[in-house]
Amino acid sequence: MASTPVQKTMGRSSWRAASHSFDVDIQEVMIGRDLNWRDRQTFGGDLRAMMDEIEIRRAIASDAPLISELVTNTIRISNSADYPASVIERVIGNFSADAILKLMDSRNVWIALQGGEPVGTASLDGDTVRTVFVSPTAQRRGIGRRVMQTVEAAAFANGIKALQVPASLTARNFYARLGYSEVREVLFGEELTVVMEKQID
């Protein structure tokens, strides 16, 4: 029997049960990294050259297997420190190639490529940013920031003034650096995510 999700408003000590049916989106474990000042000083011109090679475009059907593999690898490697194996495997089960194809029918999905290889992805579902992942081998290069800028620009062009993102514990600091504020915590079984929000006007 599935557990009942629980929500916690930031700054309050009491938990309240929420009548919310569990779906893929609450399960999503977000991951993103960004360069700090020391990294930028270290890499210098080489980093700028690498970033110039990044292509971010709307995903197409043939990208689904690539995105599935990227998401699966990222969750297993990057999020395992913050979630138990049972949560990791359950979440991964929702990101098969077929599942990604279905998401493309209802959301705008982007893929980031470097040298033709997938290094990042994100999607926009109305006013909610979802499925943000950066390959473990490509993190700390500013790719996550560039992907998010692409998503935010698309949202703004569609008249959206504020965005929400259900962030994993792994990625909450990344979103905070991009200007997102924590709104509430959502608990489902052993999985805790943090809903964050940002004004983009």
Side-chain angles (χ1 to χ4, degrees):
M1 182 174 180
S3 303
T4 301
V6 177
Q7 292 188 359
K8 180 182 179 183
T9 303
M10 302 305 298
R12 297 180 182 177
S13 58
S14 61
W15 290 78
R16 62 185 178 84
S19 56
H20 178 82
S21 59
F22 182 77
D23 60 18
V24 170
D25 300 328
I26 293 300
Q27 289 189 25
E28 288 174 357
V29 178
M30 305 297 178
I31 178 64
R33 302 292 187 194
D34 189 31
L35 278 174
N36 57 35
W37 180 86
R38 188 182 300 276
D39 291 326
R40 289 194 295 268
Q41 295 298 313
T42 301
F43 287 107
D46 290 340
L47 173 65
R48 287 190 292 273
M50 285 190 297
M51 290 308 300
D52 288 341
E53 298 172 1
I54 301 298
E55 174 193 3
I56 301 174
R57 60 166 173 77
R58 287 283 298 275
I60 58 177
S62 60
D63 294 323
L66 301 177
I67 294 174
S68 175
E69 183 177 4
L70 167 68
V71 171
T72 298
N73 289 341
T74 304
I75 292 173
R76 283 203 171 114
I77 296 172
S78 299
N79 296 87
S80 59
D82 298 302
Y83 295 94
S86 59
V87 171
I88 296 296
E89 293 306 313
R90 186 180 72 239
V91 174
I92 285 173
N94 292 299
F95 291 104
S96 66
D98 287 341
I100 297 295
L101 276 174
K102 290 180 181 179
L103 289 181
M104 290 182 184
D105 291 335
S106 59
R107 303 178 186 174
N108 294 323
V109 180
W110 287 267
I111 185 171
L113 302 164
Q114 184 174 38
E117 296 297 322
V119 292
T121 187
S123 65
L124 181 63
D125 181 11
D127 63 354
T128 304
V129 183
R130 303 190 187 277
T131 328
V132 181
F133 295 92
V134 174
S135 171
T137 60
Q139 292 171 14
R140 303 191 68 80
R141 299 181 187 174
I143 295 172
R145 178 181 290 273
R146 285 187 57 175
V147 170
M148 286 297 295
Q149 288 172 342
T150 300
V151 174
E152 291 175 0
F156 185 78
N158 286 325
I160 297 172
K161 303 299 183 184
L163 285 174
Q164 286 195 346
V165 56
S168 70
L169 299 178
T170 313
R172 69 196 302 180
N173 290 337
F174 164 73
Y175 292 113
R177 291 195 296 271
L178 296 184
Y180 286 79
S181 301
E182 297 185 6
V183 177
R184 65 183 182 277
E185 295 180 350
V186 178
L187 181 67
F188 183 85
E190 297 178 276
E191 182 186 1
L192 179 66
T193 57
V194 183
V195 177
M196 304 181 73
E197 186 177 72
K198 177 182 178 180
Q199 301 294 319
I200 59 171
D201 54 350

